[in-house]
Amino acid sequence: MLGLNARLATVAVATLTLGSTLTSAQCTREGLLAAADSFIAAQTSGSIDGLALSATNFTYQVNNKVADIKTGVLSQPLKIDLNRSTADTTACASYTLLISATGSTPYVISTQIRHEGNDTSSIALIDTIVATTGALFFNAPQTLEYIQQENWGTLDEGQRSTREELKRVGDAYLDMWTDATAADSIPWGTDCERVEGSALTRPCGATLPRGGSQQNNGNRRYVIDETVGSVDVLCSFDSLGSLPDSHEVRLEGGKVKYVHTVTVMS
C-alpha cells in the first residue's frame, strides 16, 4: 500500500510539472503587450536596461540589416507623441508603431518583436523599420495628425476577419506592383484611408498600381491581430529597389479601413 501511495505521489508531481510546463509555454496577449511596453519605455529613455533580451539568441535588426542595439536608434531617448501596439499570439510576436514628431529629430518607427518557444518573458528579435527625414513622403507631424484621428479599438466578434484573410489581404497589397489582378482582389472599404509616409489618399482604393514590376516584394514578416483586424508586414520593397518597408492594413467588417506605410529610401 505504501508503494502504491509513493507511485501515486510521483504521478501527481509529474502531472503538476507537465501542467506547469504547458502553462508557461502559452503565448499570451498580456505578455506580448508587456514586452511591447518595455520596448516603448526603452525608446523613450534611450536605455535598453529594462528589456528582457535573450542571453543566448537575440538579434536586433534595423531596416532589414542586423545592427548593434547599443548604437542604434534605441540608444537615443525620443519624445514619443503616439504609440500603438498589436499582438499575435499565434506567431508570439507584437507590432508597435511609434511617432516622434516634436523631438529634436523626427522619427516614424515600425517594430516587430518576436519571442521563442512562446516565452514572452524573453525577447529573441527586435525587427524595426526606422524612418526619418529623407524617407518616402516623410513628414512626422503630418503623419501624427492623420493617425491620431483613427480608431484602432477592439472589433466586435462579428466585425473580425480570419487570420488567413488578413494575411491574404496583406500579401495582395504588396503583390499589386507585380500582379495586375491583385488590386481587384482586395476588399476596399468605401471610407478607407491610406497614409503612405505622410501622403493621405481617400478612399484608399483609388490610384492603385496594377503590375509592371518584375521584382516581387520579398522577405515578408507578419504580425496578425484578429482582435483589431490588423496585419503588419515588414518586407524588402524590391519592386522599387530593395527598400526597407512596413505595410499595415486594418479590416473592419471584412473591408479595408486603414493602410499605413513606412518606407525608407535606402
Side-chain angles (χ1 to χ4, degrees):
M1 188 69 174
L2 183 60
L4 176 59
N5 288 339
R7 288 196 298 273
L8 289 174
T10 300
V11 170
V13 170
T15 301
L16 287 171
T17 301
L18 176 61
S20 176
T21 301
L22 290 175
T23 300
S24 65
Q26 292 178 348
C27 183
T28 67
R29 184 174 188 84
E30 293 76 16
L32 291 170
L33 294 178
D37 286 344
S38 73
F39 166 74
I40 297 167
Q43 188 64 84
T44 301
S45 66
S47 171
I48 64 172
D49 292 345
L51 292 174
L53 307 178
S54 171
T56 58
N57 187 29
F58 171 72
T59 301
Y60 180 58
Q61 182 164 287
V62 179
N63 294 341
N64 295 342
K65 295 181 180 179
V66 174
D68 183 354
I69 194 170
K70 295 178 181 179
T71 59
V73 71
L74 261 178
S75 67
Q76 308 169 35
L78 298 184
K79 182 180 185 298
I80 306 300
D81 297 295
L82 180 145
N83 73 80
R84 178 175 53 75
S85 297
T86 58
D88 183 340
T89 55
T90 299
C92 207
S94 63
Y95 168 71
T96 297
L97 172 68
L98 299 179
I99 300 178
S100 177
T102 57
S104 58
T105 301
Y107 286 99
V108 177
I109 301 174
S110 294
T111 301
Q112 294 182 359
I113 297 176
R114 297 189 180 275
H115 309 267
E116 281 196 345
N118 287 337
D119 181 8
T120 57
S121 69
S122 177
I123 297 172
L125 173 65
I126 297 177
D127 188 0
T128 187
I129 303 296
V130 179
T132 188
T133 303
L136 184 66
F137 305 135
F138 186 84
N139 182 328
Q142 186 65 76
T143 302
L144 176 66
E145 181 180 336
Y146 290 142
I147 293 180
Q148 280 179 328
Q149 299 176 43
E150 298 176 350
N151 178 8
W152 280 77
T154 302
L155 295 172
D156 293 337
E157 291 280 355
Q159 293 293 304
R160 299 179 187 179
S161 298
T162 64
R163 180 180 184 84
E164 293 73 22
E165 174 65 0
L166 290 167
K167 182 178 183 298
R168 186 196 71 78
V169 171
D171 279 332
Y173 197 100
L174 288 171
D175 289 342
M176 290 192 296
W177 283 262
T178 53
D179 183 348
T181 67
D184 293 332
S185 74
I186 297 172
W188 304 106
T190 57
D191 61 346
C192 63
E193 299 179 354
R194 184 171 86 232
V195 180
E196 297 170 293
S198 62
L200 175 65
T201 302
R202 187 191 297 121
C204 58
T207 61
L208 298 169
R210 295 183 180 272
S213 175
Q214 300 302 310
Q215 295 294 323
N216 191 47
N217 296 317
N219 191 21
R220 302 180 187 184
R221 295 94 75 194
Y222 305 85
V223 169
I224 299 171
D225 187 341
E226 300 95 320
T227 70
V228 295
S230 74
V231 54
D232 175 72
V233 191
L234 301 188
C235 71
S236 176
F237 209 89
D238 298 315
S239 295
L240 299 180
S242 298
L243 307 178
D245 178 88
S246 170
H247 268 67
E248 183 185 26
V249 182
R250 170 169 161 117
L251 271 66
E252 297 180 0
K255 302 290 185 180
V256 175
K257 175 63 176 178
Y258 301 124
V259 177
H260 295 162
T261 77
V262 180
T263 306
V264 177
M265 306 298 287
S266 58

